[in-house]
Amino acid sequence: MSTSTVFVSLGTNIDREHHLQKGLAALESKYGRLILSSLFECEPVGFIGDNFYNMVIAFDTTDSLDEIARFLRQVEFDNGRPQNAQKYSSRTLDLDILLYGQDVTEKPVQIPRAEISKNAFVLAPLAELASEFIHPHTQLSIDEMWRRFDKQTQPLKNVDFKWNNNEVEIKK
């Protein structure tokens, strides 16, 4: 079975510190060594609510896209996400697969995820970890997409963050 590098976005705006730690702990327990982007704070997009913490996490796995999607969904439910959560609403924990190796697919989830090109809170941290990745739809690197993004539309603020585990690498 081949190994794929997976990039997952993590967002939380309810009890942010707690759910950030719980999400990372669940990912680490399942996938081992994680590579983390910087942590960003931003206003919600599409609704009015408390500010979010967002980051991107990368890891290598032999799990299928379907297995990863099911696991992430269960972690969200385990952390209080309602089964019928609306798309634009506050979240205890939101985990979305952004990239799965070089795959391009619509099922079981859309890869690459459309939010990559639409949201600063996804694109900025992804550019830290996958700057050279060529997006199959835009034919631009993630870094170039971030350079071209209108940063005034969705301002981001860096948040000091420490993950207390030597096995986890934090990219800056």
Side-chain angles (χ1 to χ4, degrees), residues 148-164:
R148 293 181 181 194
F149 192 88
D150 181 358
K151 295 161 184 70
Q152 303 308 317
T153 61
Q154 296 176 19
L156 298 175
K157 177 181 154 195
N158 265 75
V159 176
D160 285 336
F161 172 69
K162 300 223 182 318
W163 176 251
N164 295 324

Side-chain angles (χ1 to χ4, degrees), residues 7-71:
F7 294 87
V8 172
S9 66
L10 181 154
T12 174
N13 77 333
I14 298 173
D15 197 2
R16 299 180 303 185
E17 300 263 339
H18 173 77
H19 289 107
L20 174 67
Q21 298 286 340
K22 296 288 273 185
L24 289 173
L27 288 169
E28 183 187 41
S29 71
K30 173 81 170 160
Y31 297 110
R33 182 176 168 273
L34 306 176
I35 300 174
L36 308 180
S37 72
S38 299
L39 181 64
F40 295 95
E41 181 177 18
C42 67
E43 294 179 0
V45 173
F47 71 99
I48 295 173
D50 294 332
N51 284 358
F52 275 82
Y53 278 174
N54 292 96
M55 70 183 332
V56 169
I57 301 107
F59 55 86
D60 293 325
T61 184
T62 57
D63 285 359
S64 70
L65 182 56
D66 192 50
E67 289 169 316
I68 299 165
R70 279 195 312 268
F71 173 74

Side-chain angles (χ1 to χ4, degrees), residues 102-126:
Q102 297 293 318
D103 284 15
V104 177
T105 187
E106 291 296 320
K107 294 195 185 282
V109 294
Q110 180 188 56
I111 302 293
R113 194 161 177 91
E115 283 83 356
I116 292 171
S117 60
K118 297 176 182 171
N119 293 314
F121 62 82
V122 173
L123 190 54
L126 184 60

